[in-house]
Amino acid sequence: QVQLVESGGGVVQPGRSLRLSCAASGFTLSNYAMHWVRQALGKGLEWVAVISFDGRNKYYADSVKGRFTISRDTSKNTMYLEMNSLRAEDTAVYYCARVYYYESSPDAFDIWGQGTMVTVS
Amino acid sequence: QSVLTQPPSVSGAPGQRVTISCTGSSSDIGAGYDVHWYQQLPGTAPKLLIYGNSNRPSGVPDRFSGSKSGTSASLAITGLQAEDEANYYCQSYDSRLRGWVFGVGTKLTVL
């Protein structure tokens, strides 16, 4: 069964760090580009970061650039989001999502995890 | 911050047809980037509903359809059902922001 499971969320003080994990099952992470998307409580979706299928290219939203780092461990079939210098406005549910490949652009996201809550307070 | 504009809410009676608009600009939808649509039921992760403006992934009923024209896109839902009550988001890419962007979301209420 194709599945993504996030973990690592919790309550953290402003300025501290947290690392989120996204474990993939039923498919090989290194065959897909992967994204992180977050959603503040009662708010809309906000794109956070992307890592290319080969891990070479990484891009970030301006709101997290310089503070967050996306990475992956192919041996563990797991993606990560290292979050440093956390702010209150980073409080949200964080989802990892797999890219759905089709003949055009931009990336669509076909598989989502259940989300992990990060509270900065 | 959302760069794609959606109405905050729409509503319709069971069996009716509703549409949800998604308005962008020359740096996103108008630049030729496709639009995708997601359905998010309360307390759950988003689900891909429409990709590439008008294509349905396997398993999505043909009651859902999408279109795009110029700097805007639309999601249409026909034969409304109670289970369609959810939040709907459009998504594209913004070349000025150099990132993926979502609409603010539209809450669909089935009366």
Side-chain angles (χ1 to χ4, degrees):
Chain A
Q1 180 187 2
V2 175
Q3 194 176 4
L4 293 169
V5 178
E6 301 97 336
S7 61
V11 180
V12 61
Q13 294 177 330
R16 303 297 292 265
S17 301
L18 205 60
R19 189 179 81 158
L20 305 183
S21 300
C22 170
S25 58
F27 71 99
T28 302
L29 211 59
S30 56
N31 289 338
Y32 293 86
M34 296 289 296
H35 292 250
W36 286 97
V37 176
R38 67 185 180 184
Q39 185 173 35
L41 203 60
K43 303 296 184 182
L45 301 168
E46 179 188 14
W47 173 73
V48 174
V50 59
I51 184 168
S52 61
F53 76 97
D54 57 7
R56 294 181 180 180
N57 298 304
K58 305 171 185 179
Y59 301 100
Y60 302 89
D62 286 343
S63 58
V64 306
K65 199 173 296 181
R67 300 188 299 122
F68 289 14
T69 302
I70 190 172
S71 64
R72 67 179 190 184
D73 185 334
T74 54
S75 67
K76 296 182 179 179
N77 215 31
T78 299
M79 177 177 70
Y80 303 98
L81 186 67
E82 184 76 38
M83 305 184 295
N84 298 320
S85 302
L86 282 162
R87 306 167 180 167
E89 54 264 37
D90 296 318
T91 295
V93 173
Y94 284 73
Y95 296 101
C96 58
R98 189 184 79 169
V99 165
Y100 180 80
Y101 287 120
Y102 70 112
E103 69 279 2
S104 188
S105 63
D107 295 344
F109 313 132
D110 67 336
I111 303 296
W112 296 66
Q114 85 288 353
T116 186
M117 182 71 204
V118 172
T119 301
V120 184
S121 176
Chain B
Q1 95 201 35
S2 302
V3 296
L4 303 179
T5 302
Q6 297 181 237
S9 63
V10 298
S11 63
Q16 285 190 332
R17 177 181 186 271
V18 297
T19 61
I20 299 173
S21 61
C22 174
T23 302
S25 68
S26 58
S27 62
D28 42 66
I29 300 174
Y33 294 105
D34 286 349
V35 176
H36 315 305
W37 291 90
Y38 300 87
Q39 177 193 60
Q40 186 176 33
L41 298 170
T44 69
K47 169 190 171 184
L48 181 63
L49 205 59
I50 297 287
Y51 70 92
N53 306 319
S54 58
N55 303 290
R56 287 183 306 276
S58 173
V60 173
D62 59 7
R63 301 187 297 106
F64 296 90
S65 63
S67 63
K68 172 191 164 184
S69 178
T71 58
S72 296
S74 289
L75 173 71
I77 309 172
T78 59
L80 265 183
Q81 300 179 4
E83 68 220 44
D84 297 334
E85 194 160 283
N87 287 307
Y88 292 83
Y89 295 90
C90 60
Q91 177 236 320
S92 188
Y93 183 87
D94 191 294
S95 57
R96 178 177 56 87
L97 297 176
R98 286 181 290 182
W100 287 257
V101 290
F102 289 91
V104 68
T106 298
K107 180 175 175 55
L108 168 62
T109 300
V110 180
L111 301 171

